[in-house]
Amino acid sequence: MPSPRILLVGCGKMGGALLRGWVGQGVAASGIVVVEPNPVSDLPAGIMQAKDAAAIPAGFQPDLILLAVKPQVMDAVAPAYARFAGPDTCFLSVAAGKTIATLQRLLGEAALIVRSIPNTPAAIAQGITACCAGPGIGAPQRSLCDQLLSAVGEVVWVDREELIDTATAVSGSGPAYVFLLTECLAAAGAKAGLPLDLATQLARATVAGAGALMRQSGEDAGQLRRNVTSPNGTTQAALDVLMAENGLAPLLERAVAAADKRSRELAG
Ligand SMILES: NC(=O)c1ccc[n+]([C@@H]2O[C@H](COP(=O)([O-])OP(=O)(O)OC[C@H]3O[C@@H](n4cnc5c(N)ncnc54)[C@H](OP(=O)(O)O)[C@@H]3O)[C@@H](O)[C@H]2O)c1
């Protein structure tokens, strides 16, 4: 398969992670153009840079345009790329909250659009991206999105677009919940008497190790939890608190519902 021609609009944390993933996967740097208002200093060799849509080399016809700017600037940024809308170009958006209908309004009816939500472990190729295909998206566009997103982790597709908002609340924002859990575990350890730096080291290694164990093991999270829980033991004592009626489950339910709602609000 020939290397895809890609236009990356916004080379920040997420766009940059994907870009490094593609190059690492063998996508030809000479087929990639990056649009960023300010020069990016650490781009892989061979990638062309443009400061805006008008500066894209004439004749560059991308197979895929990755829209990786902040949702708040999408309405101002996207229309400059409407000239690429047509059967030969797929627009892949990673912007939280921006619906396919909104993007279609900005890019025109002819635009083929995939809406997706990745997460930050993409930076180490251990992310997960949920995608939803817009009207007219067929097997070739799906396969191109699969190829490019799998460079930074797993890829899943949902049929109903509103599930992207819910995926945003679970996996898109999810890494932040896990980091907060780590902070809270360290703080609780310090409050219980450990020196703060030791508590921080213990909490960090525990969360990282548990994540790695879960990734490598074939067992689901519930089984892994039961594996470390002896009846009447120390873990059981803590889980009695965490799994109480007002414990972690209803708290996370509220947190996910709040993020889901915010994602829908960002649609504008
Ligand atoms: N980070 C996450 O966890 C995460 C997860 C899922 C989805 N996303 C989505 O990914 C998108 C990017 O987020 P991010 O965290 O990567 O943000 P970011 O680091 O701020 O990246 C956005 C980049 O776009 C650039 N930019 C601004 N105006 C532009 C324009 N007119 N043309 C081209 N580039 C322009 C910004 O440059 P300046 O900094 O110079 O303005 C910045 O480098 C967002 O839509 C977000 O919803 C992020």
Side-chain angles (χ1 to χ4, degrees), residues 9-10 12-14 35-38 68-71 77 94-96 117-118 120:
V9 182
K13 288 183 284 298
M14 196 48 73
V35 183
E36 260 282 333
N38 298 301
V69 294
K70 290 279 188 198
V77 172
V94 295
I117 190 76
T120 49

Side-chain angles (χ1 to χ4, degrees), residues 221-240 243:
Q223 187 55 49
L224 289 166
R225 168 175 54 76
R226 284 187 286 277
N227 291 351
V228 288
T229 314
S230 328
N232 287 323
T234 56
T235 310
Q236 184 66 59
L239 290 178
D240 285 348
M243 296 174 79

Side-chain angles (χ1 to χ4, degrees), residues 135-159:
I137 291 290
Q141 292 85 17
R142 268 183 187 255
S143 142
L144 181 57
C145 292
D146 273 333
Q147 180 200 343
L148 296 177
L149 292 169
S150 65
V152 292
E154 298 176 45
V155 183
V156 295
W157 291 80
V158 297
D159 292 337

Side-chain angles (χ1 to χ4, degrees), residues 8-16 34-38 40 50-53 67-74 76-78 81 93-98 116-121 168 171-173 175 266:
L8 171 60
V9 182
C11 191
K13 288 183 284 298
M14 196 48 73
V34 168
V35 183
E36 260 282 333
N38 298 301
V40 186
K51 67 175 178 13
D52 55 28
L67 298 171
V69 294
K70 290 279 188 198
Q72 292 80 357
V73 301
M74 186 64 85
V77 172
Y81 301 90
S93 167
V94 295
K98 287 291 167 194
S116 74
I117 190 76
N119 64 5
T120 49
T168 303
S171 55
S173 303
L266 282 172

Side-chain angles (χ1 to χ4, degrees), residues 87-100:
D88 299 328
T89 301
C90 175
F91 288 87
L92 172 60
S93 167
V94 295
K98 287 291 167 194
T99 62
I100 292 169

Side-chain angles (χ1 to χ4, degrees), residues 45-85:
I47 291 177
M48 287 174 277
Q49 276 198 65
K51 67 175 178 13
D52 55 28
I56 296 167
F60 182 72
Q61 186 57 51
D63 301 303
L64 182 132
I65 300 179
L66 179 73
L67 298 171
V69 294
K70 290 279 188 198
Q72 292 80 357
V73 301
M74 186 64 85
D75 291 23
V77 172
Y81 301 90
R83 66 186 157 104
F84 293 108

